[in-house]
Coordinates of all heavy atoms in Angstrom, one line a residue:
M22 N 43.0 -20.9 2.4 CA 43.9 -22.0 1.9 C 44.4 -22.8 3.1 O 44.7 -22.3 4.2 CB 45.1 -21.3 1.3 CG 46.0 -22.3 0.7 SD 47.2 -21.5 -0.4 CE 48.3 -22.8 -0.7
A23 N 44.3 -24.1 3.0 CA 44.6 -25.0 4.1 C 46.2 -25.1 4.2 O 46.9 -25.1 3.2 CB 44.0 -26.4 3.9
K24 N 46.6 -25.2 5.4 CA 48.0 -25.4 5.7 C 48.5 -26.8 5.5 O 47.8 -27.8 5.9 CB 48.3 -25.0 7.2 CG 49.7 -25.0 7.6 CD 49.9 -24.8 9.1 CE 49.4 -23.5 9.5 NZ 49.7 -23.2 10.9
T25 N 49.6 -27.0 4.8 CA 50.1 -28.4 4.6 C 51.5 -28.5 5.1 O 52.3 -27.5 5.0 CB 50.1 -28.8 3.1 OG1 51.0 -27.8 2.4 CG2 48.8 -28.8 2.4
L26 N 51.8 -29.6 5.8 CA 53.0 -29.8 6.5 C 53.6 -31.2 6.1 O 52.8 -32.1 5.8 CB 52.9 -29.6 8.0 CG 52.4 -28.3 8.5 CD1 52.1 -28.4 10.0 CD2 53.4 -27.2 8.3
R27 N 54.9 -31.4 6.3 CA 55.5 -32.6 6.0 C 56.2 -33.1 7.2 O 57.0 -32.3 7.8 CB 56.5 -32.5 4.8 CG 57.1 -33.7 4.4 CD 58.0 -33.4 3.2 NE 58.7 -34.6 2.7 CZ 59.2 -34.8 1.6 NH1 59.1 -33.8 0.7 NH2 59.8 -35.9 1.3
G28 N 56.0 -34.3 7.6 CA 56.6 -34.8 8.9 C 56.7 -36.3 8.9 O 56.4 -37.0 7.9
K29 N 57.1 -36.8 10.1 CA 57.4 -38.2 10.3 C 56.5 -38.8 11.3 O 56.3 -38.2 12.4 CB 58.9 -38.4 10.7 CG 59.3 -39.8 10.6 CD 60.8 -39.8 10.9 CE 61.4 -41.2 10.5 NZ 62.9 -41.2 10.7
V30 N 55.9 -40.0 11.1 CA 55.0 -40.6 12.1 C 55.8 -41.1 13.2 O 56.8 -41.9 13.0 CB 54.2 -41.7 11.4 CG1 53.3 -42.4 12.4 CG2 53.3 -41.2 10.3
I31 N 55.5 -40.8 14.5 CA 56.3 -41.2 15.6 C 55.5 -42.1 16.5 O 56.0 -42.8 17.4 CB 56.9 -40.1 16.4 CG1 55.9 -39.1 16.9 CG2 58.0 -39.4 15.6 CD1 56.5 -38.1 17.8
S32 N 54.1 -42.2 16.4 CA 53.3 -43.0 17.2 C 52.0 -43.3 16.5 O 51.4 -42.4 15.8 CB 53.0 -42.3 18.5 OG 52.0 -43.1 19.3
T33 N 51.5 -44.6 16.6 CA 50.2 -45.0 16.0 C 49.4 -45.8 17.1 O 48.6 -46.6 16.7 CB 50.4 -45.8 14.8 OG1 51.2 -46.9 15.1 CG2 51.1 -45.0 13.7
S34 N 49.6 -45.5 18.3 CA 49.0 -46.3 19.4 C 47.5 -46.0 19.6 O 46.9 -46.7 20.3 CB 49.8 -46.2 20.7 OG 49.9 -44.9 21.1
M35 N 47.0 -44.9 19.1 CA 45.6 -44.5 19.3 C 44.8 -45.0 18.1 O 45.3 -45.2 17.0 CB 45.5 -43.0 19.4 CG 46.2 -42.5 20.7 SD 46.2 -40.7 20.7 CE 47.7 -40.4 19.8
Q36 N 43.5 -45.2 18.3 CA 42.6 -45.6 17.2 C 42.4 -44.4 16.3 O 42.0 -43.3 16.7 CB 41.3 -46.0 17.7 CG 41.4 -47.3 18.4 CD 40.0 -47.8 18.9 OE1 39.0 -47.0 18.8 NE2 39.9 -49.0 19.4
N37 N 42.5 -44.6 15.0 CA 42.3 -43.5 13.9 C 43.1 -42.3 14.1 O 42.8 -41.2 13.6 CB 40.8 -43.1 13.9 CG 39.9 -44.3 13.6 OD1 40.3 -45.1 12.8 ND2 38.7 -44.3 14.2
T38 N 44.2 -42.3 14.9 CA 45.0 -41.2 15.2 C 46.5 -41.6 15.2 O 46.8 -42.6 15.6 CB 44.7 -40.5 16.5 OG1 43.3 -40.3 16.6 CG2 45.4 -39.3 16.8
A39 N 47.3 -40.7 14.6 CA 48.8 -40.9 14.7 C 49.4 -39.6 15.1 O 48.8 -38.5 15.0 CB 49.3 -41.2 13.3
V40 N 50.6 -39.6 15.7 CA 51.3 -38.4 16.1 C 52.4 -38.2 15.1 O 53.2 -39.1 14.8 CB 51.9 -38.6 17.5 CG1 52.7 -37.4 17.9 CG2 50.8 -38.8 18.5
V41 N 52.4 -37.1 14.5 CA 53.4 -36.7 13.4 C 54.3 -35.6 13.9 O 53.8 -34.6 14.4 CB 52.7 -36.3 12.1 CG1 53.7 -35.9 11.1 CG2 51.8 -37.4 11.6
E42 N 55.6 -35.8 13.8 CA 56.5 -34.7 14.2 C 57.0 -34.0 13.0 O 57.6 -34.6 12.0 CB 57.7 -35.4 14.9 CG 58.7 -34.4 15.5 CD 59.8 -35.0 16.3 OE1 60.3 -36.0 15.9 OE2 60.2 -34.4 17.3
V43 N 56.8 -32.7 13.0 CA 57.2 -31.8 11.9 C 58.4 -31.0 12.3 O 58.4 -30.4 13.4 CB 56.1 -30.8 11.5 CG1 56.6 -29.9 10.4 CG2 54.9 -31.6 11.0
T44 N 59.5 -31.1 11.6 CA 60.8 -30.5 11.9 C 61.1 -29.4 11.0 O 60.9 -29.5 9.8 CB 61.9 -31.5 11.8 OG1 61.6 -32.7 12.6 CG2 63.2 -30.9 12.3
R45 N 61.4 -28.2 11.5 CA 61.8 -27.0 10.8 C 63.2 -26.6 11.1 O 63.6 -26.7 12.3 CB 60.8 -25.9 11.1 CG 59.4 -26.2 10.6 CD 58.5 -24.9 10.9 NE 57.2 -25.1 10.3 CZ 56.1 -25.1 11.0 NH1 56.1 -24.9 12.3 NH2 55.0 -25.3 10.4
R46 N 63.9 -26.0 10.2 CA 65.2 -25.4 10.4 C 65.1 -23.9 10.2 O 64.8 -23.4 9.1 CB 66.2 -26.0 9.5 CG 66.5 -27.5 9.8 CD 67.5 -28.1 8.9 NE 68.7 -27.4 8.7 CZ 69.8 -27.6 9.3 NH1 69.9 -28.6 10.3 NH2 70.9 -27.0 9.1
T47 N 65.3 -23.1 11.3 CA 65.2 -21.7 11.2 C 66.4 -21.1 11.8 O 67.1 -21.6 12.7 CB 64.0 -21.2 12.1 OG1 64.2 -21.6 13.4 CG2 62.7 -21.8 11.5
P48 N 66.8 -19.9 11.2 CA 68.0 -19.2 11.7 C 67.8 -18.5 13.1 O 66.7 -18.0 13.3 CB 68.4 -18.2 10.6 CG 67.1 -18.0 9.9 CD 66.3 -19.2 10.0
H49 N 68.8 -18.5 13.9 CA 68.7 -17.8 15.2 C 68.6 -16.3 14.8 O 69.3 -15.8 13.9 CB 70.0 -18.0 16.0 CG 69.9 -17.5 17.4 ND1 70.2 -16.1 17.6 CD2 69.6 -18.0 18.6 CE1 70.1 -15.9 18.9 NE2 69.7 -17.0 19.5
P50 N 67.7 -15.5 15.5 CA 67.5 -14.1 15.2 C 68.8 -13.2 15.2 O 68.9 -12.3 14.5 CB 66.5 -13.6 16.2 CG 66.1 -14.8 17.0 CD 66.9 -16.0 16.6
V51 N 69.7 -13.5 16.2 CA 70.9 -12.7 16.3 C 72.1 -13.4 15.7 O 72.8 -12.8 14.9 CB 71.2 -12.4 17.8 CG1 72.5 -11.7 18.0 CG2 70.1 -11.6 18.4
Y52 N 72.4 -14.7 16.0 CA 73.6 -15.3 15.6 C 73.5 -16.0 14.2 O 74.5 -16.5 13.7 CB 74.0 -16.3 16.6 CG 74.2 -15.6 18.0 CD1 73.4 -15.9 19.0 CD2 75.3 -14.7 18.1 CE1 73.6 -15.2 20.3 CE2 75.5 -14.0 19.3 CZ 74.6 -14.3 20.4 OH 74.8 -13.6 21.6
K53 N 72.3 -16.1 13.6 CA 72.1 -16.7 12.3 C 72.5 -18.2 12.2 O 72.5 -18.7 11.1 CB 72.8 -15.9 11.2 CG 72.5 -14.4 11.3 CD 71.1 -14.1 11.2 CE 70.8 -12.6 11.2 NZ 69.5 -12.2 11.6
K54 N 72.7 -18.9 13.3 CA 73.0 -20.3 13.2 C 71.7 -21.0 13.0 O 70.6 -20.7 13.5 CB 73.6 -20.8 14.5 CG 73.9 -22.3 14.6 CD 74.4 -22.7 15.9 CE 74.7 -24.2 15.9 NZ 75.2 -24.6 17.2
L55 N 71.7 -22.1 12.1 CA 70.5 -22.8 11.9 C 70.1 -23.7 13.0 O 70.9 -24.5 13.5 CB 70.6 -23.7 10.6 CG 70.6 -22.9 9.3 CD1 70.8 -23.9 8.1 CD2 69.3 -22.2 9.1
L56 N 68.9 -23.5 13.6 CA 68.4 -24.3 14.7 C 67.3 -25.2 14.2 O 66.5 -24.9 13.3 CB 67.8 -23.4 15.8 CG 68.8 -22.3 16.3 CD1 68.0 -21.4 17.3 CD2 69.9 -23.0 17.0
T57 N 67.3 -26.4 14.7 CA 66.2 -27.4 14.4 C 65.1 -27.3 15.4 O 65.4 -27.5 16.6 CB 66.8 -28.8 14.4 OG1 67.9 -28.8 13.4 CG2 65.8 -29.8 13.9
K58 N 63.9 -27.0 15.0 CA 62.8 -26.9 15.9 C 61.7 -27.9 15.4 O 61.6 -28.1 14.2 CB 62.1 -25.5 15.8 CG 63.1 -24.4 16.4 CD 62.4 -23.1 16.4 CE 63.3 -22.1 17.0 NZ 62.7 -20.8 17.2
S59 N 61.1 -28.6 16.3 CA 60.1 -29.6 16.0 C 58.8 -29.4 16.8 O 58.8 -28.8 17.9 CB 60.7 -31.0 16.2 OG 61.0 -31.2 17.5
K60 N 57.7 -29.9 16.2 CA 56.4 -29.8 16.8 C 55.6 -31.1 16.5 O 55.7 -31.6 15.4 CB 55.6 -28.6 16.4 CG 54.3 -28.3 17.1 CD 53.7 -27.0 16.8 CE 52.4 -26.9 17.6 NZ 51.7 -25.7 17.3
K61 N 54.9 -31.5 17.5 CA 54.1 -32.8 17.3 C 52.6 -32.4 17.0 O 52.1 -31.6 17.7 CB 54.2 -33.7 18.5 CG 55.6 -34.2 18.7 CD 55.7 -35.0 20.0 CE 57.1 -35.4 20.3 NZ 57.2 -36.1 21.6
Y62 N 52.0 -33.1 16.0 CA 50.6 -32.9 15.7 C 49.9 -34.2 15.8 O 50.4 -35.2 15.3 CB 50.5 -32.3 14.3 CG 51.0 -31.0 14.1 CD1 52.3 -30.8 13.6 CD2 50.3 -29.8 14.3 CE1 52.9 -29.5 13.4 CE2 50.8 -28.5 14.1 CZ 52.1 -28.4 13.7 OH 52.6 -27.2 13.4
K63 N 48.7 -34.2 16.4 CA 47.8 -35.4 16.3 C 47.0 -35.3 15.0 O 46.4 -34.3 14.7 CB 46.9 -35.4 17.5 CG 47.7 -35.7 18.8 CD 46.8 -36.0 20.0 CE 47.7 -36.3 21.1 NZ 47.1 -36.0 22.4
V64 N 47.1 -36.4 14.3 CA 46.6 -36.4 12.9 C 45.5 -37.5 12.7 O 45.7 -38.6 13.3 CB 47.8 -36.6 11.9 CG1 47.3 -36.7 10.5 CG2 48.8 -35.5 12.1
D65 N 44.5 -37.3 12.0 CA 43.4 -38.2 11.7 C 43.9 -39.2 10.6 O 44.4 -38.8 9.6 CB 42.2 -37.5 11.3 CG 41.0 -38.5 11.1 OD1 40.8 -39.3 12.1 OD2 40.3 -38.4 10.1
T66 N 43.8 -40.5 10.8 CA 44.2 -41.5 9.8 C 43.1 -42.5 9.5 O 43.4 -43.7 9.4 CB 45.4 -42.3 10.4 OG1 45.0 -42.9 11.6 CG2 46.6 -41.4 10.6
R67 N 41.9 -42.1 9.4 CA 40.8 -43.0 9.1 C 40.9 -43.8 7.8 O 40.6 -45.0 7.8 CB 39.4 -42.2 9.2 CG 39.0 -41.9 10.5 CD 37.7 -41.1 10.5 NE 37.6 -40.3 11.7 CZ 36.9 -40.6 12.8 NH1 36.3 -41.7 12.8 NH2 36.9 -39.8 13.8
N68 N 41.2 -43.1 6.7 CA 41.2 -43.8 5.4 C 42.6 -44.2 4.9 O 42.8 -44.7 3.8 CB 40.6 -42.9 4.4 CG 39.1 -42.6 4.8 OD1 38.5 -43.4 5.4 ND2 38.7 -41.4 4.5
V69 N 43.7 -43.9 5.8 CA 45.0 -44.2 5.3 C 45.7 -45.1 6.4 O 45.5 -44.9 7.6 CB 45.8 -42.8 5.3 CG1 47.2 -43.0 4.8 CG2 45.1 -41.8 4.4
N70 N 46.5 -46.0 5.9 CA 47.2 -46.9 6.7 C 48.7 -46.4 6.9 O 49.4 -46.4 5.9 CB 47.2 -48.4 6.2 CG 47.8 -49.4 7.1 OD1 48.0 -49.1 8.3 ND2 48.1 -50.5 6.6
V71 N 49.0 -46.0 8.0 CA 50.4 -45.5 8.3 C 51.1 -46.3 9.4 O 50.4 -46.8 10.3 CB 50.4 -44.0 8.6 CG1 50.0 -43.2 7.4 CG2 49.6 -43.7 9.8
N72 N 52.4 -46.4 9.4 CA 53.2 -47.0 10.4 C 54.2 -46.1 11.0 O 54.5 -45.0 10.3 CB 53.8 -48.3 9.9 CG 52.8 -49.3 9.4 OD1 51.9 -49.6 10.1 ND2 53.0 -49.8 8.2
V73 N 54.8 -46.4 12.1 CA 55.8 -45.6 12.7 C 57.0 -45.5 11.7 O 57.4 -46.5 11.2 CB 56.3 -46.2 14.1 CG1 57.4 -45.4 14.6 CG2 55.1 -46.1 15.0
G74 N 57.5 -44.3 11.5 CA 58.7 -44.1 10.6 C 58.3 -43.7 9.2 O 59.1 -43.2 8.5
D75 N 57.0 -43.7 8.9 CA 56.6 -43.3 7.5 C 56.7 -41.7 7.5 O 56.4 -41.0 8.4 CB 55.1 -43.7 7.3 CG 54.9 -45.1 7.1 OD1 55.9 -45.9 7.0 OD2 53.8 -45.6 7.0
E76 N 57.0 -41.2 6.3 CA 57.0 -39.8 6.0 C 55.7 -39.4 5.3 O 55.3 -40.1 4.3 CB 58.2 -39.4 5.2 CG 58.5 -38.0 5.2 CD 59.9 -37.7 4.6 OE1 60.8 -38.5 4.8 OE2 60.0 -36.6 4.0
V77 N 55.0 -38.5 5.9 CA 53.6 -38.1 5.4 C 53.5 -36.6 5.2 O 54.2 -35.8 5.7 CB 52.5 -38.6 6.4 CG1 52.5 -40.1 6.5 CG2 52.7 -38.0 7.7
V78 N 52.5 -36.3 4.4 CA 52.0 -34.9 4.2 C 50.7 -34.8 4.9 O 49.8 -35.6 4.7 CB 51.9 -34.6 2.7 CG1 51.2 -33.2 2.5 CG2 53.2 -34.6 2.0
I79 N 50.6 -33.8 5.8 CA 49.3 -33.6 6.5 C 48.7 -32.3 6.1 O 49.4 -31.3 5.7 CB 49.6 -33.7 8.1 CG1 50.5 -32.6 8.6 CG2 50.0 -35.0 8.5 CD1 50.7 -32.6 10.1
V80 N 47.4 -32.2 6.2 CA 46.7 -31.0 5.7 C 45.7 -30.6 6.8 O 45.2 -31.5 7.5 CB 46.0 -31.3 4.4 CG1 44.9 -32.3 4.5 CG2 45.4 -30.0 3.9
E81 N 45.6 -29.3 7.0 CA 44.7 -28.8 8.1 C 43.3 -29.0 7.7 O 42.9 -28.8 6.5 CB 45.0 -27.3 8.2 CG 44.3 -26.6 9.4 CD 44.8 -25.2 9.6 OE1 45.0 -24.5 8.6 OE2 44.8 -24.8 10.7
T82 N 42.4 -29.4 8.7 CA 41.0 -29.7 8.5 C 40.2 -29.0 9.6 O 40.8 -28.3 10.4 CB 40.7 -31.2 8.5 OG1 41.0 -31.7 9.8 CG2 41.5 -31.9 7.5
R83 N 38.9 -29.2 9.5 CA 38.1 -28.7 10.6 C 38.5 -29.4 11.9 O 39.0 -30.5 11.8 CB 36.6 -28.9 10.3 CG 36.3 -30.4 10.2 CD 34.8 -30.6 10.0 NE 34.5 -32.0 9.8 CZ 34.4 -32.9 10.8 NH1 34.6 -32.5 12.1 NH2 34.1 -34.1 10.6
P84 N 38.2 -28.9 13.1 CA 38.5 -29.6 14.3 C 37.8 -31.0 14.4 O 36.6 -31.0 14.3 CB 38.1 -28.7 15.4 CG 38.1 -27.3 14.8 CD 37.7 -27.6 13.3
I85 N 38.5 -32.0 14.5 CA 37.9 -33.4 14.6 C 37.7 -33.8 16.1 O 36.8 -34.5 16.4 CB 38.8 -34.4 13.9 CG1 38.9 -34.0 12.4 CG2 38.3 -35.8 14.0 CD1 40.0 -34.6 11.6
S86 N 38.6 -33.3 16.9 CA 38.5 -33.5 18.4 C 39.2 -32.4 19.0 O 39.6 -31.4 18.4 CB 39.1 -34.9 18.8 OG 40.5 -34.8 18.6
K87 N 39.4 -32.5 20.3 CA 40.0 -31.4 21.1 C 41.4 -31.0 20.6 O 41.8 -29.8 20.5 CB 40.1 -31.8 22.6 CG 40.7 -30.7 23.4 CD 40.8 -31.1 24.9 CE 41.5 -30.1 25.7 NZ 41.6 -30.6 27.1
E88 N 42.2 -32.0 20.2 CA 43.6 -31.7 19.8 C 43.9 -32.1 18.3 O 45.0 -31.9 17.8 CB 44.6 -32.5 20.7 CG 44.5 -32.0 22.1 CD 45.5 -32.8 23.0 OE1 45.8 -33.9 22.7 OE2 45.8 -32.3 24.1
K89 N 42.9 -32.7 17.6 CA 43.1 -33.2 16.3 C 42.5 -32.2 15.3 O 41.3 -32.0 15.2 CB 42.4 -34.5 16.1 CG 43.3 -35.6 15.6 CD 42.8 -37.0 15.4 CE 41.4 -37.3 15.6 NZ 41.1 -38.8 15.3
H90 N 43.4 -31.5 14.5 CA 43.0 -30.5 13.5 C 43.7 -30.8 12.1 O 43.6 -29.9 11.3 CB 43.4 -29.1 14.0 CG 42.8 -28.7 15.3 ND1 41.6 -28.3 15.5 CD2 43.4 -28.8 16.5 CE1 41.4 -28.1 16.8 NE2 42.5 -28.4 17.4
F91 N 44.3 -31.9 12.0 CA 45.0 -32.3 10.8 C 44.6 -33.7 10.3 O 44.2 -34.5 11.1 CB 46.5 -32.2 11.0 CG 47.1 -30.8 11.0 CD1 47.1 -30.1 12.2 CD2 47.6 -30.2 9.9 CE1 47.6 -28.8 12.2 CE2 48.1 -28.9 9.9 CZ 48.1 -28.2 11.1
A92 N 44.8 -34.0 9.0 CA 44.5 -35.3 8.5 C 45.6 -35.6 7.5 O 46.3 -34.7 6.9 CB 43.2 -35.3 7.8
V93 N 45.9 -36.9 7.4 CA 47.0 -37.4 6.4 C 46.5 -37.2 5.0 O 45.4 -37.7 4.6 CB 47.3 -38.8 6.7 CG1 48.3 -39.3 5.6 CG2 47.9 -39.0 8.1
A94 N 47.2 -36.4 4.2 CA 46.9 -36.2 2.8 C 47.5 -37.3 1.9 O 46.8 -37.9 1.1 CB 47.3 -34.9 2.3
Q95 N 48.7 -37.7 2.2 CA 49.4 -38.7 1.4 C 50.6 -39.3 2.2 O 51.2 -38.5 3.0 CB 49.8 -38.3 0.0 CG 51.0 -37.4 0.0 CD 51.3 -36.9 -1.4 OE1 50.6 -36.1 -2.0 NE2 52.4 -37.5 -2.0
V96 N 51.0 -40.5 1.9 CA 52.2 -41.1 2.4 C 53.3 -40.9 1.4 O 53.1 -41.4 0.2 CB 51.9 -42.6 2.8 CG1 53.2 -43.2 3.3 CG2 50.8 -42.7 3.8
I97 N 54.3 -40.2 1.7 CA 55.4 -40.0 0.8 C 56.4 -41.2 0.7 O 56.7 -41.7 -0.3 CB 56.2 -38.7 1.2 CG1 55.3 -37.5 1.1 CG2 57.4 -38.5 0.3 CD1 55.9 -36.3 1.6
K98 N 56.8 -41.6 1.9 CA 57.8 -42.7 2.0 C 57.4 -43.7 3.1 O 57.2 -43.3 4.2 CB 59.2 -42.1 2.3 CG 60.3 -43.1 2.1 CD 61.6 -42.6 2.6 CE 62.2 -41.5 1.8 NZ 63.5 -41.1 2.2
K99 N 57.3 -44.9 2.7 CA 57.0 -46.0 3.7 C 58.3 -46.2 4.5 O 59.4 -46.0 4.0 CB 56.5 -47.3 3.1 CG 55.1 -47.2 2.6 CD 54.2 -47.3 3.7 CE 52.8 -47.5 3.3 NZ 51.9 -47.6 4.4
Q100 N 58.2 -46.8 5.7 CA 59.3 -47.1 6.5 C 60.2 -48.1 5.8 O 59.9 -49.2 5.5 CB 58.9 -47.6 7.8 CG 60.0 -48.0 8.7 CD 59.6 -48.8 9.9 OE1 58.4 -49.1 10.0 NE2 60.5 -49.0 10.9
G101 N 61.5 -47.7 5.5 CA 62.5 -48.5 4.9 C 62.4 -48.7 3.4 O 63.3 -49.3 2.8
K102 N 61.4 -48.3 2.7 CA 61.3 -48.5 1.3 C 60.6 -47.3 0.6 O 59.8 -46.6 1.2 CB 60.6 -49.8 0.9 CG 59.2 -49.9 1.4 CD 58.7 -51.3 1.1 CE 57.3 -51.5 1.8 NZ 56.8 -52.8 1.6
E103 N 60.9 -47.0 -0.6 CA 60.4 -45.9 -1.4 C 59.0 -46.3 -1.9 O 58.7 -47.4 -2.2 CB 61.4 -45.7 -2.6 CG 61.6 -44.4 -3.2 CD 61.7 -43.2 -2.3 OE1 62.6 -43.1 -1.4 OE2 61.0 -42.2 -2.6
K104 N 58.1 -45.3 -1.9 CA 56.8 -45.5 -2.5 C 56.7 -45.6 -4.0 O 57.4 -44.9 -4.6 CB 55.8 -44.4 -2.0 CG 54.4 -44.7 -2.5 CD 53.5 -43.6 -2.0 CE 52.1 -43.8 -2.6 NZ 51.2 -42.8 -2.3

């Protein structure tokens, strides 16, 4: 089963590639305070037009390049307006 994640596009300066930041909220192991952790993924965008600020769903794929292992599955929210 392929991994799916939801994140925000933070860069589109590369050809056919965007950088998506996925944010998770996890409790601290001892103090139980909710901490915000984020990770950046390089994502393939060959058939999808995305802009900085868009909220997207990404899905795990075969390795496309050295650091690209995800592709955009769908755009949930365009920047500034609802889809």
Side-chain angles (χ1 to χ4, degrees):
M22 183 166 172
K24 185 187 297 188
T25 59
L26 302 169
R27 184 175 176 161
K29 192 172 191 176
V30 178
I31 58 172
S32 173
T33 58
S34 59
M35 295 171 275
Q36 292 180 352
N37 299 325
T38 305
V40 179
V41 176
E42 185 175 41
V43 175
T44 305
R45 294 186 172 118
R46 291 175 53 92
T47 58
H49 187 278
V51 175
Y52 300 113
K53 308 305 181 203
K54 179 181 179 179
L55 285 177
L56 302 175
T57 303
K58 296 184 178 188
S59 61
K60 185 171 181 183
K61 296 176 186 175
Y62 294 94
K63 288 189 179 154
V64 177
D65 187 49
T66 60
R67 285 180 205 261
N68 301 325
V69 183
N70 186 15
V71 295
N72 296 313
V73 176
D75 291 354
E76 198 168 322
V77 295
V78 172
I79 60 175
V80 63
E81 191 173 32
T82 62
R83 64 176 177 78
I85 299 164
S86 69
K87 180 181 177 182
E88 297 178 336
K89 235 179 3 177
H90 305 279
F91 285 86
V93 174
Q95 74 180 75
V96 179
I97 297 173
K98 188 190 292 185
K99 286 285 195 181
Q100 176 188 10
K102 59 186 173 184
E103 212 41 54
K104 181 179 174 188

